[in-house]
Amino acid sequence: MSVTGWAGRARLRPGGLVYGGAIGSATAHAHHSVQVLAALDGDALLLAGPDGEPFRCRAYVLPAGVRHAVLAGTARGVVLHYDPLSSAGRRLAALPGDAGGLVPAAGSLPADLFEAACALDSLLPGGPLPDAAPHPGLARVLAWLPGRDGVRLSEAAEVACLSQSRLAHLFRAELGLPFRP
């Protein structure tokens, strides 16, 4: 079943993000992270690669900076993002393309999509990334960010009650990702 919207649960953690839920469509874009998209329950994703040509897959690894689009998603999916400089990010970036062989059958993953995302995260090369309680200012920003587009570092620093340079450092140190709008 193809869906157009995104709805699920996510956790931003050191070195990346874990998401389980509906994967909706998305126009052409690229990430500063290594991304793994997977459709569970047999639904295939319809993606377009850098050349714009559409293709179907059950799971796919996109190295950092690779332009792609989600033309048709799935109601039951998993999206994982990894810092490209992390062990997991480097290992996955070396396996670009169809990742159907990396993703176990849906029946062997938990039924809850977020729990399935966490389980897949622990099975992929490099293993799971550690959980850590973020700095209180960073936690305020992470709670404030959802649903906001084009957020500037100066705005986020004000929410965090930190200087821009300190917040930028915390993003990189605790999340493994640079702050980018």
Side-chain angles (χ1 to χ4, degrees), residues 82 87-89 91-92 95 102 120-128:
Y82 296 91
S87 173
R91 288 180 184 149
L92 287 165
L95 304 169
L102 294 175
L120 181 57
D121 180 46
S122 70
L123 296 173
L124 289 177

Side-chain angles (χ1 to χ4, degrees), residues 3-135:
V3 295
T4 56
W6 292 76
R9 288 177 37 210
R11 182 178 74 220
L12 194 57
R13 40 96 164 119
L17 177 130
V18 175
Y19 169 86
I23 297 176
S25 58
T27 59
H29 63 284
H31 299 280
H32 297 289
S33 60
V34 176
Q35 181 182 34
V36 178
L37 294 132
L40 305 179
D41 296 343
D43 283 348
L45 296 164
L46 180 60
L47 305 178
D51 59 4
E53 288 296 316
F55 62 92
R56 291 196 179 278
C57 62
R58 184 171 152 256
Y60 206 81
V61 174
L62 291 150
V66 173
R67 191 165 171 80
H68 64 284
V70 179
L71 304 176
T74 180
R76 295 184 46 78
V78 167
V79 178
L80 305 171
H81 287 268
Y82 296 91
D83 177 351
L85 300 178
S86 70
S87 173
R90 285 192 308 273
R91 288 180 184 149
L92 287 165
L95 304 169
D98 193 306
L102 294 175
V103 180
S108 61
L109 293 172
D112 177 85
L113 293 174
F114 181 73
E115 295 302 321
C118 293
L120 181 57
D121 180 46
S122 70
L123 296 173
L124 289 177
L129 296 171
D131 289 329
H135 181 281

